[in-house]
């Protein structure tokens, strides 16, 4: 089980859909031109009802059908986005209690109810034998330093903090899919206030056995699965160390040409 998060438009949906035998549960409307296995078909839904939104009962029914079918057709389910599950749960709360805002439940009582709704959805798949990947957007949140009163910005998935705390304990991988200049990179280990982690510590190592923090991804997200697999099998260098190595080689080459020019 894992979670991939990143900024809008980086290619998260296309990347996760590149995983073999993956069905994408589109909890919010995405791009209409994506050629992926997905449910529901938002284009068709919006043709008949322009205000269509996915309901809790629809989502639960779908997840139960996937869990019951086992891995007969799809080995993995990707929920894109997991962020939207919270809104789906809130909509159910408002309908069930005939209120217009979550604060309509006294003493903050609406929040644990919505939290329980989301957990029920995800627990339907967890333990079913279907591999589960979650997709999330990214945001930054303030975090105060333990050393002094400095407030730092931490990069984290965009989802309710209660659900994120629970999910983080259950997933094996948390990857940040991001851009660095013209490059697409996958952050697999967190540092510099970026949330990322790998479960097994003997994966995502370079040829020297050193930990890899981020890897270079192909510009075509449909080819991303093979790259992630290569990283998992310790076949890829660390993105930053490789950039430094290449830069040093170029610097040496420039110096060598300059020396040859001086001699001549």
């Amino acid at each position: 089980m894992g979670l991939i998060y990143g900024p809008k438009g980086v290619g998260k949906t296309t990347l996760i859909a590149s995983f073999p035998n993956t069905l994408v549960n589109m909890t919010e409307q995405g791009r209409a031109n994506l050629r992926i296995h997905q449910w529901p078909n938002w284009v068709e839904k919006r043709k008949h009802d322009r205000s269509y939104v996915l309901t809790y009962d629809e989502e639960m029914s779908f997840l139960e059908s996937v869990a019951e079918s086992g891995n007969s057709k799809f080995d993995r389910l990707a929920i894109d986005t997991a962020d939207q599950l919270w809104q789906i749960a809130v909509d159910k709360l408002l309908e069930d209690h005939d209120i217009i805002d979550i604060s309509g439940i006294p003493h903050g009582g609406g929040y644990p109810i919505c939290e329980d709704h989301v957990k029920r959805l995800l627990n339907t798949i967890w333990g079913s034998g279907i591999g589960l990947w979650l997709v999330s957007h990214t945001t930054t949140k303030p975090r105060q330093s333990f050393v002094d009163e400095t407030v730092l910005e931490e990069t984290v998935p965009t989802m309710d903090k209660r659900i994120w705390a629970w999910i983080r304990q259950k997933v094996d991988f948390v990857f940040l899919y991001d851009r660095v200049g013209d490059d697409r990179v996958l952050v697999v280990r967190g540092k510099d206030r970026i949330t990322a982690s790998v479960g097994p510590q003997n994966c995502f190592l370079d040829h020297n056995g050193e930990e890899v923090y981020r890897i270079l991804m192909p510009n075509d997200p449909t080819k991303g699965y093979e790259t992630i697999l290569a990283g998992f099998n310790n076949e890829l260098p660390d993105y930053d160390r490789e950039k430094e190595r290449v830069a040093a080689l170029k610097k040496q080459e420039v110096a060598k040409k300059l020396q040859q020019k001086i001699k001549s």
Side-chain angles (χ1 to χ4, degrees):
M1 297 180 290
L3 181 144
I4 292 179
Y5 73 110
K8 186 176 181 179
V10 73
K12 299 184 297 296
T13 302
T14 307
L15 172 62
I16 202 70
S18 75
F19 289 25
N21 302 323
T22 296
L23 174 62
V24 182
N25 177 197
M26 301 289 288
T27 60
E28 57 186 71
Q29 186 174 16
R31 297 201 338 255
N33 62 342
L34 290 177
R35 297 181 179 275
I36 60 176
H37 297 292
Q38 61 176 294
W39 182 93
N41 186 324
W42 282 85
V43 174
E44 290 299 320
K45 292 287 187 181
R46 287 285 172 91
K47 278 184 181 179
H48 302 287
D49 181 2
R50 294 182 64 85
S51 63
Y52 170 79
V53 293
L54 183 62
T55 68
Y56 184 90
D57 290 342
E58 283 180 303
E59 180 69 7
M60 177 60 80
S61 177
F62 166 72
L63 294 177
E64 287 176 343
S65 68
V66 172
E68 290 170 2
S69 68
N71 59 358
S72 58
K73 186 174 182 181
F74 296 102
D75 298 326
R76 300 175 183 85
L77 176 70
I79 299 180
D80 185 2
T81 64
D83 311 347
Q84 186 65 14
L85 294 181
W86 179 260
Q87 186 58 53
I88 291 173
V90 170
D91 290 344
K92 175 176 172 57
L93 174 80
L94 302 185
E95 182 179 1
D96 289 349
H97 294 268
D98 194 23
I99 54 179
I100 61 173
D101 187 81
I102 192 172
S103 60
I105 305 293
H107 312 298
Y111 293 95
I113 294 175
C114 291
E115 181 179 353
D116 182 64
H117 285 337
V118 175
K119 288 181 178 179
R120 284 183 58 211
L121 289 172
L122 292 177
N123 281 330
T124 301
I125 293 297
W126 271 323
S128 68
I130 298 292
L132 178 63
W133 280 84
L134 306 175
V135 179
S136 176
H137 299 304
T138 185
T139 188
T140 56
K141 70 174 185 179
R143 186 186 68 177
Q144 187 168 341
S145 171
F146 292 109
V147 179
D148 51 38
E149 296 184 356
T150 304
V151 177
L152 308 172
E153 293 290 329
E154 182 180 16
T155 302
V156 295
T158 304
M159 63 177 65
D160 179 80
K161 62 182 180 181
R162 304 162 188 81
I163 300 303
W164 167 231
W166 178 69
I167 287 175
R168 192 170 185 177
Q169 296 176 358
K170 298 178 76 70
V171 296
D172 300 308
F173 303 96
V174 178
F175 296 150
L176 170 61
Y177 189 38
D178 205 357
R179 287 191 179 94
V180 176
D182 294 330
D183 294 336
R184 280 184 168 91
V185 299
L186 191 74
V187 182
V188 299
R189 284 186 172 87
K191 66 176 182 177
D192 299 329
R193 299 182 297 280
I194 292 177
T195 299
S197 61
V198 294
Q201 293 303 307
N202 62 344
C203 64
F204 290 100
L205 306 175
D206 66 13
H207 67 281
N208 293 319
E210 295 184 42
E211 290 184 342
V212 168
Y213 288 90
R214 52 184 182 176
I215 59 176
L216 178 65
M217 297 292 287
N219 283 327
D220 182 358
T222 63
K223 301 177 181 178
Y225 176 76
E226 289 81 2
T227 302
I228 294 175
L229 193 60
F232 185 86
N233 292 328
N234 304 329
E235 298 170 2
L236 298 179
D238 179 82
Y239 173 79
D240 298 283
R241 292 197 294 268
E242 182 66 8
K243 293 277 281 189
E244 291 173 0
R245 186 187 71 83
V246 171
L249 288 176
K250 288 183 178 179
K251 187 175 180 179
Q252 291 175 7
E253 185 65 24
V254 170
K256 183 178 179 181
K257 289 181 178 179
L258 181 60
Q259 289 177 355
Q260 292 175 345
K261 187 175 181 180
I262 293 172
K263 290 180 180 180
S264 62

